[in-house]
Amino acid sequence: MEGDSDAYAHTAQVAAAIHPYVHYIHVRLKQKGALELLALTRSMVNLGVPLQKIAVNDRVDVALLTSVGAIQLPANGLPVAAVKSLLSEGTRCGVSVHSLEEAQAAEWAGAHYVLYGHVYETHCKPGVTPRGIAQLKRISRLVSIPVIALGGIQPRHIPELYTAGASGIAVRSGIWEAESPVAAVMAYRRMADRVAHRLHW
């Protein structure tokens, strides 16, 4: 989620509407400071988003102040072990990765999961070649922690992603830029549940 302070109220309202259909809402204000991130996180909580469903990007200070459910670290971010030592029991620590080597390093460091992408073409990264499904499949096979796929994902991609070994998906523009974020998130959730049911049976 990115935007100026005027947009935070709307962002929090959308988060409150979609949270019943997702496991986590990733809070990211890359060009803003800790104060803005803290304000957005608290706005979401005030509107009913459970703390355990919020994942804060990079800012360990905000994660500690709010006791959110997860902290998401960049691959070149703070050491996983050091961050985990500060977190309360039950708080998850994930790492964003772009290669098998980074995924393995995150696992060895004690990350609970990795966020891997971008798998498909996405206008969030114009001109950057997607890393593709083959690399996702390799990473999912060679690390034992969950691998969450990210980047350009539409509901139709979910069968391919789960078959490749992804444990879940992360979506930005497909939901946040949709005409109806709730309708969009429900479409993702229906497909994910259908595929997960098929794979387990």
Side-chain angles (χ1 to χ4, degrees), residues 11-70:
T11 300
Q13 289 167 1
V14 173
I18 68 173
H19 89 77
Y21 310 103
V22 301
H23 294 100
Y24 288 96
I25 296 177
H26 188 131
V27 185
R28 178 175 181 260
L29 294 172
K30 196 171 182 181
Q31 307 303 324
K32 303 292 183 179
L35 189 60
E36 290 90 342
L37 192 64
L38 179 63
L40 174 54
T41 302
R42 286 179 169 166
S43 292
M44 289 167 54
V45 172
N46 289 339
L47 288 175
V49 180
L51 273 170
Q52 64 268 26
K53 282 193 170 187
I54 299 176
V56 167
N57 186 75
D58 196 19
R59 296 301 305 236
V60 179
D61 48 358
V62 175
L64 292 174
L65 280 171
T66 54
S67 300
V68 292

Side-chain angles (χ1 to χ4, degrees), residues 118 120-131:
H118 62 294
Y120 303 107
E121 286 189 17
T122 170
H123 66 265
C124 295
K125 294 185 179 293
V128 181
T129 303
R131 293 180 170 85

Side-chain angles (χ1 to χ4, degrees), residues 122-189:
T122 170
H123 66 265
C124 295
K125 294 185 179 293
V128 181
T129 303
R131 293 180 170 85
I133 203 78
Q135 179 76 334
L136 169 67
K137 187 174 184 178
R138 184 166 178 249
I139 290 172
S140 298
R141 188 177 72 247
L142 294 176
V143 300
S144 60
I145 57 177
V147 178
I148 311 300
L150 170 74
I153 298 172
Q154 295 296 322
R156 68 179 183 275
H157 295 130
I158 294 176
E160 178 181 50
L161 292 166
Y162 279 29
T163 300
S167 296
I169 61 168
V171 179
R172 180 185 168 187
S173 58
I175 293 172
W176 290 93
E177 295 179 12
E179 184 175 345
S180 171
V182 173
V185 78
M186 288 177 68
Y188 282 99
R189 186 59 189 260

